[in-house]
Amino acid sequence: MNKELYLEAIEQAETYKRYGKVLRVVGLMIESQGPDANIGEVCYIHSSSNKRPPVVSEVVGFNKEKIILMPYAEVTEIGPGCLVESTGKPLMVKIGRGLIGNVVDSLGRSLDGSKLPKGLSNYLTEQAPPNPLSRPPITEPIQVGVKAVDSLLTVGKGQRIGIFAGSGVGKSTLLGMIARNSNADINVIALLGERGREVREFIENDLGKEGLKKSIVVVATSDQPALMRIKGAYTATAISEYFRDQGYQVNLMMDSVTRVAMAQREIGLATGEPPTTKGYTPSVFATLPKMLERTGTSKTGTITAFYTVLVDGDDMNEPIADTVRGILDGHFVLDRKLAEQGQFPAINVLKSISRVMNQIGSKRHLDVAQQIRSLMATYEENSELIQIGAYKRGTDREIDKAIAFYPKIQAFLKQGVLEYQTLDESIQMMEQLLNGGVD
């Protein structure tokens, strides 16, 4: 064994512990006198009953030399004078290949209470986004395994996509299809602020055994404290970064960014920030780009990220949707009207865009995709006239062509949950549709 490593560890070890004491608890916050700690450091709050384990909390602010802490768990049996112990470190989680196939919480602990496998290494959850000049451009497509996406909204390795939808339009089902059908090496799936009932349903039905074999699922349900919901996003991103640095092609799927923003709003309001647009605090709009910019390409590997955004009342211009759309490299809009018509996945192709498709698609592929988009747009513009019977066939060649192709395009865009096509098959099917459609 290397003696110098031991000597270095002894040199860096703290020779005494720093303590403070709880002064008051207000809502989500715990105020304490001491210990010496910095923003982002983890502290343990020892309850008055020694039988209970200490409450893990984080320093989120200061108020006249008093420390403001926010707990990771429910606060019970904590009163004035309880000891607050500083760890001197920010939150770290254990990550490694042994984690694949596991479901963990925001602190990286196994959700079913079992022990984590050995050989995992400690990793900081909060990292700085990579230097823009160290990011290689996106040049290769990645297979998503959803026909509508692979053919008309092709995604590149290292691209970041927003999936915008109201509640109950099929976001989770679409994420499950991508997780099972994609040709990425590893999936990291973050279920944040979801109903507890939906977690197991997603893992068993949408993801399935095959999907879980190459996935790591991070869960923070809606009943958990705001800090746990935010840390879930950071932990999932950190796990993705770890595997990207090992040279893997990683898919990160986060459901949903809106719940993370709401959790950040809770913390901001509790620490005294002023509410701004729709009650969101300034820290929300500072946190989102930092978190979303961490994914993407690097010299060693890529993180292709899919972030779901819950749009209230299907309003695509609400503050979080607007901010996220401006940061990401494309967006898929799930349309309630299409879902009501029984088309799944309910992706509105005309309202969706992949900003890197032109850089990664072949000329033939892009031409065919553009022709199909054009036919869909023509039909959409004249749909009211067509449906009420006011349009007479033969008046306009383009509209006649759009009417002839419309049912075939709709049939092509539909896909069963367990249906699977490769990227090349999807493009080939799209070309056949156009060539064999109308004489």
Side-chain angles (χ1 to χ4, degrees):
M1 282 290 195
N2 193 340
K3 204 194 315 179
E4 287 173 10
L5 289 173
Y6 283 110
L7 291 170
E8 195 180 326
I10 292 165
E11 192 71 38
Q12 290 176 354
E14 286 279 353
T15 51
Y16 61 92
K17 288 185 176 178
R18 298 190 182 94
Y19 287 99
K21 63 177 182 178
V22 171
L23 295 178
R24 63 178 189 150
V25 177
V26 183
L28 305 173
M29 297 186 312
I30 297 166
E31 209 171 90
S32 77
Q33 186 76 53
D36 286 345
N38 300 322
I39 290 278
E41 263 184 38
V42 173
C43 292
Y44 295 127
I45 303 170
H46 298 273
S47 67
S48 45
S49 159
N50 292 328
K51 292 173 188 174
R52 283 183 173 271
V55 175
V56 185
S57 58
E58 186 178 301
V59 180
V60 292
F62 303 98
N63 178 23
K64 294 179 183 173
E65 298 179 8
K66 294 183 185 73
I67 286 177
I68 298 170
L69 299 154
M70 200 155 272
Y72 286 123
E74 292 301 322
V75 180
T76 49
E77 294 192 26
I78 283 180
C82 283
L83 281 181
V84 180
E85 180 191 339
S86 170
T87 62
K89 293 173 188 171
L91 181 66
M92 297 182 95
V93 290
K94 289 190 176 293
I95 308 174
R97 278 195 58 80
L99 211 57
I100 298 168
N102 279 296
V103 182
V104 296
D105 68 5
S106 301
L107 306 181
R109 301 173 302 202
S110 186
L111 205 65
D112 61 6
S114 61
K115 281 191 175 180
L116 288 174
K118 291 180 179 176
L120 304 179
S121 43
N122 285 323
Y123 199 82
L124 275 172
T125 59
E126 293 197 37
Q127 304 277 345
N131 184 319
L133 294 181
S134 72
R135 289 180 184 270
I138 298 166
T139 53
E140 276 182 80
I142 189 169
Q143 176 187 300
V144 171
V146 178
K147 284 187 290 185
V149 174
D150 282 341
S151 56
L152 294 164
L153 300 161
T154 314
V155 175
K157 285 180 183 174
Q159 189 175 353
R160 297 159 308 147
I161 290 284
I163 299 172
F164 292 75
S167 52
V169 188
K171 295 188 301 297
S172 299
T173 309
L174 180 60
L175 287 184
M177 286 172 76
I178 295 169
R180 285 194 313 275
N181 301 345
S182 164
N183 63 356
D185 302 321
I186 293 166
N187 297 312
V188 180
I189 302 163
L191 303 175
L192 310 171
E194 288 296 305
R195 303 172 191 89
R197 173 185 64 80
E198 287 184 341
V199 172
R200 192 160 177 181
E201 280 181 14
F202 177 84
I203 293 166
E204 290 180 4
N205 303 340
D206 295 331
L207 190 59
K209 282 185 182 175
E210 285 305 306
L212 188 59
K213 275 182 193 170
K214 63 167 191 174
S215 302
I216 299 166
V217 184
V218 181
V219 174
T221 48
S222 57
D223 59 296
Q224 292 187 318
L227 205 56
M228 281 292 264
R229 282 173 269 148
I230 289 174
K231 290 298 165 189
Y234 288 145
T235 298
T237 309
I239 293 169
S240 307
E241 287 169 327
Y242 173 85
F243 285 107
R244 175 180 66 184
D245 294 344
Q246 304 283 321
Y248 291 97
Q249 312 294 337
V250 184
N251 270 356
L252 169 64
M253 285 166 252
M254 195 178 288
D255 186 16
S256 73
V257 173
T258 312
R259 310 262 193 230
V260 176
M262 286 174 174
Q264 183 61 47
R265 175 172 66 182
E266 279 180 50
I267 290 174
L269 291 171
T271 52
E273 279 190 74
T276 53
T277 323
K278 271 206 172 175
Y280 287 102
T281 56
S283 63
V284 173
F285 302 103
T287 303
L288 282 174
K290 278 183 195 168
M291 184 177 76
L292 302 177
E293 283 291 342
R294 283 169 63 179
T295 53
T297 58
S298 81
K299 290 172 188 169
T300 49
T302 62
I303 302 172
T304 308
F306 298 89
Y307 298 101
T308 69
V309 182
L310 191 65
V311 284
D312 293 333
D314 297 324
D315 173 18
M316 292 295 166
N317 298 316
E318 61 103 32
I320 299 304
D322 222 24
T323 305
V324 171
R325 194 167 48 231
I327 299 165
L328 299 179
D329 313 317
H331 53 271
F332 301 160
V333 176
L334 300 190
D335 197 326
R336 193 176 295 279
K337 198 169 139 192
L338 293 175
E340 285 165 357
Q341 289 167 5
Q343 183 178 316
F344 288 101
I347 299 169
N348 187 323
V349 174
L350 295 176
K351 286 184 181 174
S352 306
I353 192 166
S354 167
R355 290 182 184 167
V356 303
M357 185 173 171
N358 290 339
Q359 299 159 31
I360 57 175
S362 65
K363 188 175 185 306
R364 173 71 187 146
H365 173 196
L366 295 173
D367 285 348
V368 173
Q370 188 52 49
Q371 285 178 59
I372 287 187
R373 270 180 170 268
S374 180
L375 289 167
M376 290 174 78
T378 304
Y379 187 91
E380 194 67 34
E381 278 170 31
N382 300 281
S383 61
E384 285 184 18
L385 291 174
I386 296 162
Q387 282 160 12
I388 62 169
Y391 175 75
K392 287 182 183 175
R393 290 196 174 221
T395 312
D396 186 306
R397 270 185 69 186
E398 283 301 310
I399 299 174
D400 289 346
K401 194 177 173 186
I403 292 168
F405 270 107
Y406 186 73
K408 292 171 186 177
I409 293 170
Q410 293 305 100
F412 167 71
L413 294 176
K414 279 184 187 177
Q415 186 171 339
V417 174
L418 299 174
E419 213 179 305
Y420 168 68
Q421 259 92 26
T422 65
L423 175 69
D424 293 333
E425 283 170 355
S426 295
I427 295 167
Q428 205 176 343
M429 284 171 77
M430 182 174 67
E431 288 180 359
Q432 284 170 358
L433 181 150
L434 203 62
N435 296 334
V438 191
D439 295 327

